[in-house]
Amino acid sequence: LARLPAMLVGQVVVNGQRGRAPVHVEATVGAVVSLDAGGSRDPDNHTLTYSWFFYPEAGTGIPGQPVYAGGTAPVAGGGVPGEGGIPSAPEGGPREPAPRVTIQDATSPRVTVTPRAAGTAHIILAVEDSGTPLLTSYRRVILTIK
């Protein structure tokens, strides 16, 4: 098979920044941040749809819940003190951690993001055109939250 060229939505622009590099934004816990992708364009003039989402696996861990606590867990035991091992999840499953940020109007070109905890948070923007086939481009916004 011949190698096909990468096919993407024309240009995803966030807060006036063109290109493919991540957009870096300084933020403060509780202070609303505006992100604007209204300058994005498709070279074929197809209609664009937007989807903004928080990417929890990137950035810093949830405060008080480090990504890696160190050491190794013994294989045997059920998490009982003195026996080692990994305890079972509580009934109903583990509690979902609070999100580091919340996003309002996540399907519009312009969103507001409210940081909820200090650290680094990654927001991803997916922009899809209405052509055939549907083409999607992505842009990353990295919030440094104080």
Side-chain angles (χ1 to χ4, degrees):
L1 289 172
R3 189 166 175 83
L4 296 174
M7 297 167 57
L8 304 170
V9 171
Q11 192 171 79
V12 179
V13 179
V14 175
N15 288 4
Q17 293 185 36
R18 299 182 189 297
R20 295 184 180 165
V23 175
H24 293 272
V25 176
E26 298 285 326
T28 304
V29 172
V32 173
V33 174
S34 296
L35 299 175
D36 183 355
S40 299
R41 298 285 176 256
D42 179 73
D44 302 319
N45 292 321
H46 293 124
T47 302
L48 299 177
T49 58
Y50 302 83
S51 178
W52 300 82
F53 58 94
F54 171 52
Y55 183 31
E57 293 83 5
T60 53
I62 302 298
Q65 299 177 20
V67 175
Y68 173 71
T72 57
V75 175
V80 177
E83 286 185 25
I86 299 172
S88 297
E91 191 168 321
R95 266 187 331 113
E96 187 70 28
R100 184 170 294 287
V101 298
T102 55
I103 301 173
Q104 297 292 322
D105 301 320
T107 59
S108 72
R110 292 166 191 83
V111 297
T112 57
V113 177
T114 305
R116 300 292 182 197
T120 303
H122 291 234
I123 307 295
I124 306 297
L125 167 61
V127 180
E128 184 175 80
D129 74 2
S130 60
T132 302
L134 298 174
L135 303 177
T136 305
S137 287
Y138 298 89
R139 193 77 187 268
R140 181 182 304 253
V141 177
I142 302 174
L143 296 179
T144 302
I145 307 166
K146 297 182 189 284

